[in-house]
Amino acid sequence: MGLREALKSRVLTADGAMGTLLYSYGLDYCHEEMNLVKPELIEKIHSEYIAAGADIIQTNTYGANAIKLARYGLESKVVEINEAAIRIAKNAVNNGDQFVLGSIGAIRGVRKSDTTLEEILDAIRVQAEVLIKGELDGLLLETYYDFEELTETLKLLRTMTDLPIIAQVSMQDPGVLSNGLSLNEAFSELEKLGADLVGVNCKLGPYHTIQAFETVDLPKRAFLTAYPNASLLDIEEGRVIYESEVDYFARAAIELTNQGVRLIGGCCGTTPKHIEAVKKQLANRKPIEQKLAKPAKEVLIRDPEPRNTEPLHEKVKRERSVIVELDTPRHLEVDAFVEGAKALYNNGADLIMMADNSLASPRVSNLAMGAILKQHGIRTMPHITCRDRNLIGLQSHLMGLNALGLHDILAVTGDPTKVGDFPGATSVYDVSSMELISLIKQLNEGISFSGKALRKKANFSVAAAFNPNVRVLDRAVSRLEKKIEHGADYFISQPVYTKEKIVDIYEATKHLEVPIYIGIMPLTSFRSAEFLHHEVPGIKLSDEALERMKSCDGDKVREAEEGLAIAKELLDTATKYFNGIYLITPFLRYEMTSQLMDYIKQLDEEVKGVYVNG
């Protein structure tokens, strides 16, 4: 009898965690490599689950694809590792009544990673070919947080095999995926794409897993599966632990069958003892044929209040717009910063931009300074980096910005901590800048990073960084196009120091509908010019600019004058090709930036005069 037939009349029990047991043996390296290094241990774990009563076991191949194995230098052993896993699992069954599933784990996980979907599918295709050739009883797709990855993987596998396929999602919050899709809607979509069983695994313990299934209808054709964690995880003396009594887990299995689940296993923290208890509870239990699901609780998501300022990406499409950067202080005296911000804003800056601990050195929080400047009627744009905050901190920070009415933000990766004042500090980077842009736009839909409704839509206008100071400009433009796909509203460039580069940027980006602000930063001295050129990532000066600054080295007045002269010459070109100008204020010397703003006004007046007289 095949797996599909067995599930028509029975509730089946699957195995529990593999990684948890390997971890308990002190093996926290590549678990899939154990198929080659310690095959007897993997077979022992399979056998323990079978002895506990598991009707189904899965191969030790969760991460046995080239992308995940590459972390350990094992990408060339995909076939060997998967073949060994199949052999071990079949030896453990040894002609018994158990079904063997080929495990295929998600690659993106909670965060998407930089790996493209095409690369993911190529890796899965190679792994799946081995598993299918191994004549298993089905395939298990597990721990998929990214629904796009799961649906595309399912589509691929359905072109490769008629084997039963189990498609399992993972949720941050009960009943909803990270993209805001309800669990019921997700199951319906997976069933349409050919999944034979649809379900959930990982992240949530029994209580929240049951809660998630309460709003799920019985599928028309597919069956429901659930592989909860033993409990919510805890950390004890640096080790991950799951505290759960096996009887509690087994009683939860009964409730899961009441919700229509026909295949119950365990994920993180579960052991053969959990599965043994589940098997005893489910003995002779028949699956339910009808169910009245609870209606999902609808959460009204309000539209945001109308903004009292026009988004810059709309203004700059039709007229001149100037953004001025003024870094917040490294010390606790903020009066000079506020004074400079007032002067620049009153001189016509559309807003004051504030970096987020630039060069990985701590400064007064740009959120705090943004709130202070707002009290003075000044519009601001804080940067937000991926470096300093995990996903929890990023969402909390963004929610705070929205609550304060600071709706203009620049999403950047952030300089690594090694370049800053605390080289031993941790760089977080839970997400890339592109992923951060997508998540911010998700907040604009009223959906949290975990998929939960936020009751109200945020109202962010999102700028993205552009570094044109690279050898191959086309590659940088390709990154812009990807950022547009992720939701970037406009771009702000690193400072440019040649007229030719400005023209090159225009030619390379004129096909984009998303506007660009060109960065101009006046030089203050030859020493700072050399520092910028040789040490600051993303900034390169021309030989001419360096020579001109060197010619007045040591004379502070002449250096400042020459720095302004170079900047004005760059503005002569930049204002002809771009409406958006981004002025970076060096060392809080806002009077230099103010002079450049006056010069931009002069250039615009001259153009108007020519137009009127022409």
Side-chain angles (χ1 to χ4, degrees):
M1 181 186 293
L3 179 58
R4 293 186 183 99
E5 287 298 315
L7 285 164
K8 288 180 179 179
S9 57
R10 297 167 55 193
V11 176
L12 300 184
T13 303
D15 55 4
M18 173 68 72
T20 295
L21 296 183
L22 292 175
Y23 189 63
S24 71
Y25 292 130
L27 301 173
D28 56 358
Y29 188 56
C30 176
H31 290 167
E32 290 74 21
E33 188 185 19
M34 297 303 107
N35 296 330
L36 304 178
V37 178
K38 293 183 179 292
E40 69 286 351
L41 178 57
I42 302 302
E43 185 171 341
K44 176 177 179 291
I45 292 173
H46 285 322
S47 298
E48 287 176 355
Y49 278 120
I50 291 171
D55 301 300
I56 294 174
I57 65 170
Q58 63 193 73
T59 56
N60 181 37
T61 54
Y62 172 80
N65 59 73
I67 293 172
K68 285 195 170 182
L69 292 176
R71 302 171 187 173
Y72 310 99
L74 298 170
E75 62 271 28
S76 64
K77 295 190 175 184
V78 171
V79 174
E80 187 179 355
I81 287 173
N82 280 276
E83 287 180 341
I86 295 168
R87 186 167 56 250
I88 294 166
K90 286 189 171 183
N91 285 343
V93 170
N94 192 24
N95 297 320
D97 294 330
Q98 292 77 28
F99 299 102
V100 180
L101 302 177
S103 171
I104 298 176
I107 291 175
R108 283 178 170 171
V110 175
R111 61 160 296 183
K112 286 193 173 183
S113 83
D114 295 329
T115 309
T116 66
L117 189 57
E118 183 179 9
E119 291 168 336
I120 289 172
L121 295 177
D122 285 343
I124 295 302
R125 181 183 290 104
V126 174
Q127 181 188 10
E129 285 173 349
V130 183
L131 295 174
I132 293 167
K133 187 179 178 181
E135 298 182 347
L136 301 173
D137 297 298
L139 299 175
L140 171 63
L141 307 180
E142 53 179 335
T143 322
Y144 279 80
Y145 287 92
D146 187 280
F147 194 62
E148 180 189 28
E149 182 187 2
L150 177 55
T151 55
E152 292 303 314
T153 300
L154 179 56
K155 289 177 187 176
L156 168 67
L157 296 180
R158 267 292 159 247
T159 67
M160 299 174 65
T161 182
D162 291 326
L163 283 173
I165 297 178
I166 302 173
Q168 294 187 148
V169 301
S170 294
M171 301 170 289
Q172 302 283 11
D173 283 295
V176 63
L177 276 59
S178 59
N179 64 355
L181 193 69
S182 75
L183 186 61
N184 205 31
E185 292 171 320
F187 285 171
S188 178
E189 180 66 20
L190 293 170
E191 184 181 26
K192 290 176 183 176
L193 292 175
D196 298 277
L197 293 92
V198 293
V200 303
N201 78 291
C202 206
K203 184 61 173 67
L204 303 180
Y207 175 83
H208 290 110
T209 301
I210 294 168
Q211 189 181 62
F213 274 99
E214 288 176 347
T215 59
V216 170
D217 298 317
L218 292 181
K220 296 177 181 177
R221 178 188 55 80
F223 300 119
L224 297 177
T225 75
Y227 286 51
N229 284 354
S231 65
L232 299 179
L233 66 83
D234 194 9
I235 304 294
E236 186 176 285
E237 297 181 354
R239 292 183 66 83
V240 175
I241 62 170
Y242 292 85
E243 295 185 358
S244 172
E245 296 179 2
V246 296
D247 290 342
Y248 169 76
F249 192 85
R251 291 197 306 274
I254 292 293
E255 183 55 37
L256 284 170
T257 64
N258 292 336
Q259 297 302 326
V261 177
R262 297 199 185 200
L263 172 59
I264 300 175
C267 204
C268 303
T270 57
T271 67
K273 290 182 179 179
H274 291 84
I275 301 308
E276 182 179 18
V278 169
K279 185 66 174 181
K280 288 178 180 178
Q281 287 282 2
L282 299 184
N284 302 316
R285 191 166 185 85
K286 297 295 182 181
I288 67 169
E289 300 291 343
Q290 293 182 332
K291 173 190 175 184
L292 183 61
K294 283 185 180 180
K297 185 179 179 181
E298 291 190 22
V299 179
L300 178 64
I301 300 178
R302 293 168 43 208
D303 288 331
E305 291 82 7
R307 290 180 55 160
N308 54 17
T309 55
E310 182 183 24
L312 289 192
H313 62 273
E314 294 178 4
K315 176 182 178 179
V316 74
K317 288 180 180 179
R318 67 172 189 276
E319 63 183 68
R320 177 74 62 218
S321 177
V322 178
I323 291 174
V324 173
E325 179 173 329
L326 193 66
D327 280 344
T328 61
R330 294 176 181 267
H331 45 71
L332 296 178
E333 294 179 347
V334 300
D335 291 347
F337 173 84
V338 174
E339 179 186 345
K342 283 182 180 178
L344 293 167
Y345 194 69
N346 291 336
N347 197 26
D350 283 302
L351 53 74
I352 304 299
M353 176 189 284
M354 299 170 294
D356 191 9
N357 300 322
S358 58
L359 296 179
S361 296
R363 295 175 177 270
V364 176
S365 160
N366 59 16
L367 182 148
M369 293 311 304
I372 290 172
L373 293 184
K374 187 179 180 185
Q375 292 175 349
H376 292 276
I378 299 173
R379 183 178 178 181
T380 60
M381 174 190 279
H383 293 194
I384 181 167
T385 73
C386 305
R387 178 196 59 231
D388 299 332
R389 305 171 190 87
N390 62 14
L391 281 167
I392 300 168
L394 283 170
Q395 179 168 320
S396 175
H397 188 71
L398 285 160
M399 291 169 76
L401 287 168
N402 190 76
L404 288 169
L406 305 179
H407 297 131
D408 300 289
I409 50 178
L410 171 67
V412 294
T413 300
D415 304 306
T417 56
K418 290 182 179 180
V419 308
D421 293 350
F422 300 101
T426 302
S427 293
V428 181
Y429 299 128
D430 268 4
V431 292
S432 68
S433 59
M434 292 189 194
E435 292 163 349
L436 178 56
I437 293 167
S438 294
L439 290 171
I440 294 170
K441 286 308 184 84
Q442 188 165 310
L443 295 183
N444 279 358
E445 296 300 318
I447 304 297
S448 77
F449 293 178
S450 68
K452 185 187 298 183
L454 292 173
R455 300 188 182 181
K456 181 181 176 181
K457 296 179 181 179
N459 203 0
F460 291 115
S461 175
V462 187
F466 170 35
N467 178 19
N469 301 309
V470 292
R471 292 181 180 178
V472 183
L473 188 56
D474 286 347
R475 292 180 185 173
V477 175
S478 294
R479 281 188 60 81
L480 297 191
E481 292 169 343
K482 289 181 180 179
K483 289 181 179 182
I484 292 172
E485 292 174 6
H486 282 74
D489 293 308
Y490 58 117
F491 296 103
I492 298 174
S493 87
Q494 291 275 30
V496 180
Y497 284 97
T498 71
K499 298 176 182 179
E500 293 76 16
K501 175 65 74 173
I502 293 171
V503 177
D504 289 344
I505 294 170
Y506 171 76
E507 293 296 335
T509 64
K510 63 184 180 182
H511 65 287
L512 302 178
E513 294 184 4
V514 173
I516 296 173
Y517 282 75
I518 289 294
I520 305 291
M521 182 168 72
L523 302 169
T524 58
S525 68
F526 174 61
R527 289 184 63 186
S528 67
E530 280 210 307
F531 169 72
L532 291 170
H533 180 71
H534 293 291
E535 298 193 40
V536 178
I539 298 181
K540 289 297 177 185
L541 276 65
S542 66
D543 292 339
E544 179 192 359
L546 287 170
E547 286 298 322
R548 288 172 64 176
M549 294 305 297
K550 185 176 182 180
S551 68
C552 46
D553 185 20
D555 187 330
K556 292 184 178 180
V557 174
R558 284 188 58 211
E559 284 179 316
E561 290 175 347
E562 193 61 33
L564 282 171
I566 293 171
K568 288 178 179 178
E569 292 168 14
L570 293 169
L571 285 171
D572 288 339
T573 301
T575 54
K576 292 177 182 177
Y577 289 94
F578 295 94
N579 277 344
I581 303 295
Y582 163 48
L583 299 177
I584 303 103
T585 304
F587 311 114
L588 208 60
R589 294 179 64 172
Y590 59 86
E591 72 284 349
M592 296 183 74
T593 304
S594 192
Q595 289 184 54
L596 294 179
M597 293 174 68
D598 290 338
Y599 187 69
I600 293 172
K601 293 175 189 175
Q602 177 186 326
L603 292 175
D604 288 344
E605 288 298 323
E606 290 174 358
V607 170
K608 287 180 183 177
V610 170
Y611 178 77
V612 170
N613 295 325

